């Protein structure tokens, strides 16, 4: 009856290559293109560069990946509702600039109270992120404007505001404790950014899989009208998705600010493309209704893995952009085929 | 007397700018009865049920449930009162499982977390109780339309239901599934559930209706007992005019062979099917949903592949083809699903009608579009199908189902064709529109075109076809001619011979 069964059904005693083909096909239908791309990337970079598979480099990779993982999870929440968020980069930048400005100003007037300064700075940054999410959510859920226009507009507003606030100059003079803790700190033997990300991943996993809200997000993306008829407050669900997305991007922005030790308006310039690519490669449907947290985490790690591998094999940053764009498009094309295999075309 | 009413309305109205969709309707429903709403498309049936179900709010008037006046602001309010609706538009989410759909909005929660086991069990139990053989863990998108309809009904019946509203529930069901549904309806009746039922099918009114309320132009015409009222009376009440015969008499003047399908098999499930169609005859193609009747002519048209066998069109080999070539060769195919395959919903009717003529007769010198010709072509075709002139400029997606179907028919009339294949031409269409469309078929056939009528509606085949083929399981089971075309004769071929014996 289902496509999956049809694929798995052995017709004749299969030869080894046939069996491998069947397994590959089933894997593709269930997980999408990610396992194949991941295997290919590990194979290519592992053979081209010796240090690629070293523990040191893999730990490095994980540390580098957390920023994109956070944003991609937010992006997934929005994608499953059938929308997308182009303003995630701006959210990071605005968070970075505002938290840095608050810490810089307070830090010079309250030099003895670093803890309070950091808390206030982070709060200000998160409020900025929350505002961006609220703007997106209200525009899309209440005004009914397309996500493309709203998030693109907000992305311009946010980027402009961040540049205006800083005059385009990086904000320095952050309390050293901020970077020591959130940029380079270790807790329980794990880098703090990794720990924070793990907590966020666990929370979003719980939301998607063990709370009714997760089903509502998928339902709104799968068929908004049906969701509304089932008594789901679709506007609230949409608003929530955009707010969660912005808050996750904001957390990512704070962690990155701590890492680079400055508030920068240019933070997260490519993150919108990267996060959408990570999600699509991970099998999140661009039409909404389908998306899994663990796959998205792997998708984000995959994007960083490719970048890391290209750095190690001396591929220039210009060419890296070409590769990233190609990966996104290949993933979308593969997703089209997969959709056709999962959802039979309406007759 | 009010205790007797499970539900009643007083002066219920819904106005839109310039339209009185529902105008001061008094309706009542008793416990344990099936009350059919009958009327043409746009008569206000859908508006009435959307108000009763809380999907829409009245402009004036009052809904009473068990004698108490109530106001519904959303579907949830109505459900609290035990009023549940299964709308015609599917309200399932294709990317979720059956179980997730059945419990949507009312998920079982334990310690604040989803209880996935209970979710699956509860859904499976409700399906089993209704006798629907569906796996609750299956993805909705993988189910057939009929199965989705059953899930839809199961969803409507969750919780305590005292009023069940069904909007053309049998439109996509086979005979057997319909029988099952009617058994369920009878069981619900004995439990005291009141059922509001919308249908265009006369046979169904005979089978299950207790009372019938006829609506016309947003107003209630009357409420009658189903047992005391004949079909003809209902039809004249509904349309406000006496339709002597919905089905016109079509002259039978068979001419040369137009379509000759020889031993065709297709990957879509047709085996060794052969049929012939001549000029001046209407050939009916009957059978259950999914028996291959539609697939056969889709393959001949070039929409699906042909794996073996031959198709000849006017004596020419037409086996490997595509829709563009078929249209050029004079073969017109009217798809069954006007929304997904037939019409560009965002275009106006006129633009839809002339769409396939843009590359042909409407293409002027050096490729410019002949706008004036397009206009006159659209209005001429519109006139033929009785599509009123003011509807020509309106966006097709906003028209009623009947008018959409007229626009779809008109698409085939912009140039003369040799072969017209109408696939389920009157699904979800009111009697008034039907008779207009049948007149078009009569006119086409009598002017010398060959017509194939693919239909799951038996009376349509009985009254219009000169010859009829019945298909089952992808094979042609038999051919009937003229007076042989009777309900019994057709139905005998509907089911597999082995199955009938067993």
């Amino acid at each position: 009856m289902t496509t999956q069964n049809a694929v798995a059904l052995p017709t004749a005693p299969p030869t080894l290559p046939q069996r491998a083909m069947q397994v590959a096909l089933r894997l593709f239908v269930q997980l999408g293109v990610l396992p194949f791309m991941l295997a290919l990337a590990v194979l290519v970079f592992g053979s081209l560069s010796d240090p690629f598979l070293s523990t040191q480099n893999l730990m490095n990779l994980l540390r580098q990946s957390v920023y994109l993982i956070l944003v991609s999870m937010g992006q997934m929440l929005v994608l499953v509702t059938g929308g997308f968020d182009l303003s995630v980069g701006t959210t990071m930048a605005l968070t970075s600039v505002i938290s840095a400005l608050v810490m810089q100003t307070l830090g010079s007037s309250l030099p003895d109270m670093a803890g309070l300064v950091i808390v206030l700075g982070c709060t200000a940054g998160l409020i900025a992120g929350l505002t961006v999410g609220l703007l997106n959510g209200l525009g899309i859920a209440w005004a009914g404007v397309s996500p493309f226009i709203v998030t693109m507009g907000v992305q311009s507003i946010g980027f402009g505001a961040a540049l205006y606030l800083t005059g385009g100059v990086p904000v320095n003079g952050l309390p050293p404790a901020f970077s020591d803790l959130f940029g380079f700190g270790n807790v329980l033997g794990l880098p703090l950014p990794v720990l924070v990300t793990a907590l966020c991943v666990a929370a979003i996993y719980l939301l998607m899989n063990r709370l009714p809200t997760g089903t509502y997000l998928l339902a709104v993306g799968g068929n908004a009208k049906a969701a509304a008829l089932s008594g789901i407050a679709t506007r609230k669900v949409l608003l929530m998705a955009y707010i969660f997305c912005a808050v996750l991007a904001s957390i990512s922005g704070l962690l990155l600010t701590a890492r680079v030790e400055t508030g920068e308006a240019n933070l997260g310039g490519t993150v919108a493309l990267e996060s959408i690519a990570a999600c699509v490669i991970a099998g999140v449907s661009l039409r909404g209704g389908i998306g899994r947290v663990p796959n998205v985490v792997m998708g984000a790690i995959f994007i960083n893995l490719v970048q890391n591998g290209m750095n190690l094999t001396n591929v220039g940053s210009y060419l890296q952009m070409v590769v990233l764009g190609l990966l996104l498009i290949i993933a979308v094309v593969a997703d089209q085929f997969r959709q056709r295999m999962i959802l039979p075309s309406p007759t | 007397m009010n205790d007797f009413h499970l539900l009643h309305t007083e002066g219920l109205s819904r106005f839109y700018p310039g339209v009185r969709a529902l105008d001061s309707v008094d309706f009542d429903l008793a416990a344990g009865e099936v009350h059919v709403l009958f009327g043409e498309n746009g008569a206000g049936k859908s508006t009435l049920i959307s108000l009763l179900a809380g999907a829409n709010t009245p402009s004036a008037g009052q809904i009473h449930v068990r004698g108490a006046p109530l106001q519904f602001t959303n579907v949830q309010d109505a459900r609290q009162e035990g009023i549940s609706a299964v709308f015609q538009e599917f309200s399932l989410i294709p990317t979720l499982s059956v179980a997730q759909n059945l419990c949507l909005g009312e998920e079982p929660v334990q310690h604040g977390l989803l209880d996935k086991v209970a979710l699956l069990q509860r859904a499976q139990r409700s399906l089993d109780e209704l006798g629907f053989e569906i796996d609750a863990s299956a993805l909705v998108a993988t189910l057939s339309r009929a199965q989705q309809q059953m899930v839809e009904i199961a969803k409507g019946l969750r919780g305590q239901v005292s009023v069940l509203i069904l909007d053309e529930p049998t439109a996509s069901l086979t005979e057997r599934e319909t029988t099952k549904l009617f058994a369920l309806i009878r069981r619900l009746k004995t439990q005291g559930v009141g059922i509001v039922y919308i249908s265009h099918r006369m046979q169904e009114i005979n089978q299950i209706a207790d009372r019938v309320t006829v609506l016309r132009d947003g107003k209630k015409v009357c409420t009658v007992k189903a047992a005391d009222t004949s079909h003809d009376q209902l039809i004249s009440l509904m349309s406000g005019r006496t339709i002597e015969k919905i089905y016109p008499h079509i002259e039978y003047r068979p001419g040369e062979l137009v379509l000759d399908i020889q031993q065709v098999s297709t990957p879509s499930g047709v085996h060794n099917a052969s049929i012939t169609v001549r000029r001046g005859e209407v050939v009916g193609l009957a059978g259950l949903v999914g028996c291959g009747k539609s697939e056969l002519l889709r393959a001949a048209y070039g929409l699906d592949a042909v794996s073996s066998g031959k198709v000849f069109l006017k004596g020419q080999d037409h086996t490997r083809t595509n829709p563009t070539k078929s249209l050029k060769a004079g073969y017109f195919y009217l798809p069954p699903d006007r929304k997904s395959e037939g019409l560009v919903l965002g275009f106006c009717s006129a633009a839809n009608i002339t769409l396939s003529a843009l590359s042909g007769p409407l293409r002027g010198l050096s490729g410019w579009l002949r706008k004036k010709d397009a206009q006159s072509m659209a209005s001429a075709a519109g006139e033929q199908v009785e599509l009123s002139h003011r509807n020509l400029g309106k966006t097709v997606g906003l028209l009623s189902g009947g008018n959409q179907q007229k626009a779809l028919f008109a698409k085939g009339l912009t140039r003369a064709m040799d072969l017209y294949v109408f696939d389920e031409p009157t699904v979800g269409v009111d009697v008034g529109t039907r008779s207009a469309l049948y007149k078009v078929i009569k006119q086409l056939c009598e002017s010398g075109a060959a017509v194939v009528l693919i239909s799951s509606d038996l009376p349509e085949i009985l009254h219009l076809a000169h010859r009829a083929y019945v298909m089952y399981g992808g094979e042609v089971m038999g051919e009937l001619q003229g007076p042989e075309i009777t309900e019994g004769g057709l139905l005998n071929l509907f089911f597999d011979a082995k199955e009938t014996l067993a």
Side-chain angles (χ1 to χ4, degrees), chain A residues 67-249:
Chain A
Y67 311 103
L68 185 58
I69 292 176
L70 285 168
V71 180
S72 300
M73 272 194 309
Q75 192 69 259
M76 181 200 75
L77 294 180
V78 174
L79 280 170
V80 296
T81 67
F84 47 77
D85 189 345
L86 299 176
S87 67
V88 282
T90 259
T91 311
M92 289 178 76
L94 209 57
T95 303
S96 175
V97 164
I98 287 181
S99 62
L101 281 174
V102 169
M103 283 190 267
Q104 187 192 45
T105 319
L106 289 180
S108 54
S109 54
L110 305 165
D112 307 327
M113 303 166 79
L116 181 69
V117 169
I118 292 172
V119 168
L120 288 176
C122 290
T123 311
L126 286 174
I127 288 175
L130 204 68
T131 312
V132 172
L134 206 62
L135 266 177
N136 282 334
L138 288 177
I140 291 157
W142 259 266
V145 184
S146 89
F148 178 70
I149 294 298
V150 174
T151 61
M152 191 168 66
V154 166
Q155 117 87 26
S156 174
I157 295 171
F159 189 44
L163 284 173
Y164 175 77
L165 286 173
T166 60
V169 185
V171 183
N172 292 312
L174 306 186
F178 177 60
S179 288
D180 291 347
L181 188 62
F182 290 111
F184 305 92
N186 279 290
V187 174
L188 307 169
L190 278 174
L192 194 72
V194 174
L195 209 64
V196 170
T197 306
L199 281 177
C200 289
V201 169
I204 300 297
Y205 182 83
L206 208 65
L207 174 86
M208 287 307 289
N209 294 281
R210 298 306 305 271
L211 292 178
T213 314
T215 311
Y216 298 165
L217 284 166
L218 292 168
V220 168
N223 181 347
K225 214 178 148 196
L229 281 175
S230 300
I232 292 169
T234 50
R235 287 177 168 183
K236 273 189 203 153
V237 171
L238 274 180
L239 180 65
M240 196 190 68
Y242 284 93
I243 287 179
F244 278 16
C245 175
V247 168
L248 284 165

Side-chain angles (χ1 to χ4, degrees), chain A residues 1-3 206 209-212 215-216 218-219 222-223 225-232 288-290 342-344 347, chain B residues 55 75-76 87 89-96 100 104-107 109 112-114 116 139 141-142 147 155 158:
Chain A
M1 197 65 220
T2 66
T3 320
L206 208 65
N209 294 281
R210 298 306 305 271
L211 292 178
T215 311
Y216 298 165
L218 292 168
N223 181 347
K225 214 178 148 196
L229 281 175
S230 300
I232 292 169
I290 302 174
I342 298 176
L343 309 176
T347 45
Chain B
V75 181
Q76 245 25 43
F87 292 106
E89 306 285 322
F90 277 147
S91 71
L92 299 178
I93 289 142
T95 50
L96 294 182
Q100 281 175 314
L104 195 60
E106 297 169 8
E107 286 80 1
V109 173
L113 294 180
L114 265 185
K116 292 197 161 178
L139 209 61
T142 61
Q147 285 174 315
K155 192 177 163 192
R158 67 183 184 182

